[in-house]
Amino acid sequence: MSLPTLPLLIDGKRVESKTSQWRDIVNPATQEVVARVPFATIEELNAAVASSKAAYKSWRNTSQANRMRIMLRFQQLLRDHTGELAELITREHGKTLPDAEGEVGRGLEVVEHACAIASLQLGEYAQNAAGGVDVYTLIEPLGVCAGITAFNFPVMLPCFMFPLAVATGNTFVLKPSEQDPSASLRLAELALEAGLPPGVLNVVHGGPDIANAICDHPDIKAISFIGSTHVGTHIYRRASEAGKRCQAMMGAKNHCVILPDADREQAINHLLGAAFGAAGQRCMATSVAVLVGEAREWVPELVERARALKVGPGTDRRADLGPVVSKPARARIEKLIGAGVEEGAKLLLDGRGHSVKEAPEGNFVGPTIFDGVTADMSIYRDEIFGPVLCMTGVDTLDEAIAFVNANPNGNGVALFTQDGGAARQFQNEIDVGQVGINLPIPVPVAWFSFTGSRGSKLGDLGPNGKQAILFWTQTKTVTARWQARGTGPSGVNTTITLK
């Protein structure tokens, strides 16, 4: 039986690629090849960009009211198809169905926010800024924009990009991850079903060659990237050198600081969920716990609670975490665990070689916990992107803040405490873009911007919220004078003064 092949989405149509390069899409719980994805040719990318460029001429002038109505229909379709999208995510990524459904819900938040575009894309107006002179700003789209996404959120990450981009009047070319592209493609099809005209949203699949071509293409004005630091740095540099606006949300090493006065049950529950959910394959995962003072006494309970978590295929709704995305990912994670042992960290829970009876071929890594981790160890320096929690202990909150701030990454951090003064000191002194107080590191709700910082972000503006509106638009300032004939200033004015 022949395998299904994924199409490209160009000019509103499903297009069978003419490429000779294909990649198998593998279910990470079973190793079943579920479909094949094409690595598009440069000619096919050019066709997608040309389609978006042609569509931009009319789409940019489509009324805000019509764009808003399309977003309203899109959010309802996304809601109606949550189950279908979640199943695609679980089949190709491996995360549990409840987690996949939660991902669709977080993407839905952004689309719901885009429904308010009529009030989000407003300029400013000053009447009589000078004698008879009015000054106002126009918030205009950029043109053809593009997004390159990672594998770990095949619905949420595209939603961080194209809904606000097209709602503000741009057209868009999406390159989803080649590892699990089906949910991204289906998401785009639903957006077209909602009423986006042909060419406003195109989808091309591919690897580094297509990503580089997107960076180089003269008709693409802005690029959003979410993924690893290595790739994000390359994309940002190459796109910027080509004169494009670019944002790159990249790697992380997120900390959770626990003070001894914290609610013990709450803190442990949140820490375990943030460390091991999605098998740790989140840029917002908590990968380091900093236990302050007497909170060190909680370590045995943390380990036993982690040991009790259920590992299984994502289709098992009782599972707490599923497989990692691929065999190479599993090998890399297990290699880093081995390095942690060699470098002297205390391995309290070892998830290597984890097997699941009902899915013996799955890429499973069990919850893994290290204690006594220091800043010079590779398991602390590197983003493991797996279900591995590193723990360290300090005596005071000041030491914990200094430890976190010394890490080069700044994606997110969390604090658990019942002391409001400590929480206020923490949020003021911590040098990290996103802070959770008595919550695991949160991806902010969609009407607030994603504000990772330092080594986790390149570009001044992040996805979502006000920053996304600024990123996908440009401001044009108009200074105008309209007066009755013969009432304006007489004579030539050679100064810079408005008269």
Side-chain angles (χ1 to χ4, degrees):
M1 186 178 68
S2 62
L3 286 169
T5 57
L6 266 65
L8 311 174
L9 197 61
I10 300 177
D11 205 34
K13 303 181 185 69
R14 293 166 65 96
V15 176
E16 188 72 22
S17 176
K18 292 182 170 56
T19 186
S20 59
Q21 187 178 0
W22 295 79
R23 174 174 174 149
D24 291 342
I25 304 171
V26 178
N27 183 325
T30 65
Q31 304 309 313
E32 175 192 4
V33 178
V34 296
R36 301 179 73 222
V37 60
F39 277 31
T41 66
I42 297 301
E43 291 75 18
E44 288 165 341
L45 172 65
N46 290 339
V49 176
S51 169
S52 284
K53 184 177 181 180
Y56 177 67
K57 296 175 183 178
S58 57
W59 179 246
R60 65 167 299 176
N61 294 316
T62 300
S63 71
Q64 288 182 331
N66 280 339
R67 283 184 259 145
M68 176 186 67
R69 292 183 187 113
I70 291 171
M71 288 296 109
L72 283 167
R73 289 193 289 272
F74 182 33
Q75 65 85 26
Q76 186 59 55
L77 286 171
L78 191 50
R79 195 182 304 277
D80 293 342
H81 290 265
T82 293
E84 175 192 357
L85 291 166
E87 288 176 2
L88 290 173
I89 294 169
T90 296
R91 185 184 72 173
E92 296 180 4
H93 173 281
K95 67 178 65 174
T96 66
L97 279 170
D99 193 24
E101 290 161 356
E103 175 187 339
V104 177
R106 295 310 302 269
L108 177 61
E109 284 181 6
V110 188
V111 180
E112 290 170 337
H113 184 51
C115 294
I117 194 61
S119 59
L120 295 173
Q121 195 175 358
L122 295 176
E124 300 171 311
Y125 189 95
Q127 187 175 20
N128 287 320
V133 173
D134 302 331
V135 180
Y136 52 94
T137 58
L138 307 175
I139 310 301
E140 298 185 334
L142 300 171
V144 180
C145 301
I148 301 171
T149 62
F151 76 88
N152 57 329
F153 288 99
V155 166
M156 189 178 77
L157 298 188
C159 282
F160 276 18
M161 298 178 182
F162 78 77
L164 283 172
V166 301
T168 51
N170 300 287
T171 54
F172 205 87
V173 177
L174 174 67
K175 193 206 86 64
S177 169
E178 65 277 13
Q179 294 189 78
D180 52 0
S182 295
S184 303
L185 179 65
R186 184 67 181 123
L187 178 73
E189 290 177 334
L190 291 174
L192 296 182
E193 186 178 334
L196 287 181
V200 171
L201 175 62
N202 294 296
V203 178
V204 294
H205 308 292
D209 289 345
I210 288 297
N212 285 333
I214 287 172
C215 292
D216 298 341
H217 202 294
D219 291 331
I220 294 175
K221 306 302 181 185
I223 297 174
S224 179
F225 170 85
I226 302 177
S228 71
T229 297
H230 172 73
V231 178
T233 302
H234 169 80
I235 294 290
Y236 186 85
R237 181 181 297 118
R238 188 159 181 157
S240 298
E241 288 176 352
K244 305 184 192 313
R245 183 178 293 183
C246 189
Q247 59 180 198
M249 304 297 108
M250 305 183 299
K253 202 68 180 181
N254 303 315
H255 298 71
C256 177
V257 177
I258 300 179
L259 297 186
D261 72 330
D263 183 301
R264 183 167 177 155
E265 182 72 10
Q266 178 194 59
I268 291 176
N269 283 338
H270 282 309
L271 175 58
L272 294 176
F276 301 122
Q281 298 172 116
R282 298 169 176 160
C283 68
M284 298 299 287
T286 295
S287 53
V288 183
V290 183
L291 305 178
V292 180
E294 294 174 0
R296 298 273 301 148
E297 298 172 4
W298 303 2
V299 170
E301 182 178 352
L302 274 165
V303 172
E304 290 311 305
R305 295 276 299 277
R307 195 190 307 276
L309 294 175
K310 180 176 173 56
V311 181
T315 50
D316 180 357
R317 287 187 172 273
R318 298 168 300 170
D320 297 298
L321 61 154
V324 297
V325 71
S326 67
K327 285 188 177 297
R330 177 180 180 176
R332 178 182 175 275
I333 293 164
E334 293 188 341
K335 182 178 180 180
L336 279 165
I337 294 171
V341 174
E342 292 173 6
E343 292 171 4
K346 300 174 185 175
L347 184 58
L348 303 182
L349 185 61
D350 188 353
R352 291 175 294 181
H354 195 98
S355 61
V356 174
K357 183 177 180 180
E358 60 269 36
E361 300 300 319
N363 308 321
F364 295 103
V365 180
T368 299
I369 297 179
F370 281 103
D371 197 9
V373 174
T374 58
D376 60 334
M377 294 178 177
S378 58
I379 54 172
Y380 181 76
R381 296 194 314 269
D382 296 341
E383 184 178 25
I384 300 175
F385 226 61
V388 180
L389 176 64
C390 299
M391 296 195 300
T392 191
V394 296
D395 294 328
T396 66
L397 176 60
D398 289 338
E399 290 179 76
I401 291 171
F403 183 80
V404 175
N405 285 347
N407 190 281
N409 295 292
N411 213 27
V413 68
L415 174 72
F416 283 85
T417 183
Q418 297 299 309
D419 185 336
R424 186 172 183 82
Q425 176 191 350
F426 186 82
Q427 71 179 37
N428 286 344
E429 296 182 10
I430 206 72
D431 185 17
V432 174
Q434 298 170 118
V435 180
I437 304 293
N438 292 322
L439 286 169
I441 303 157
V443 174
V445 291
W447 46 100
F448 282 80
S449 300
F450 191 96
T451 52
S453 61
R454 296 193 284 146
S456 297
K457 175 183 178 183
L458 288 171
D460 295 328
L461 301 170
N464 296 348
K466 294 179 181 178
Q467 290 188 14
I469 300 298
L470 292 172
F471 181 78
W472 297 119
T473 61
Q474 55 192 341
T475 302
K476 180 184 290 181
T477 303
V478 180
T479 304
R481 170 179 280 152
W482 294 98
Q483 291 181 314
R485 292 179 182 274
T487 61
S490 59
V492 176
N493 175 19
T494 60
T495 75
I496 64 170
T497 304
L498 286 171
K499 292 183 178 180

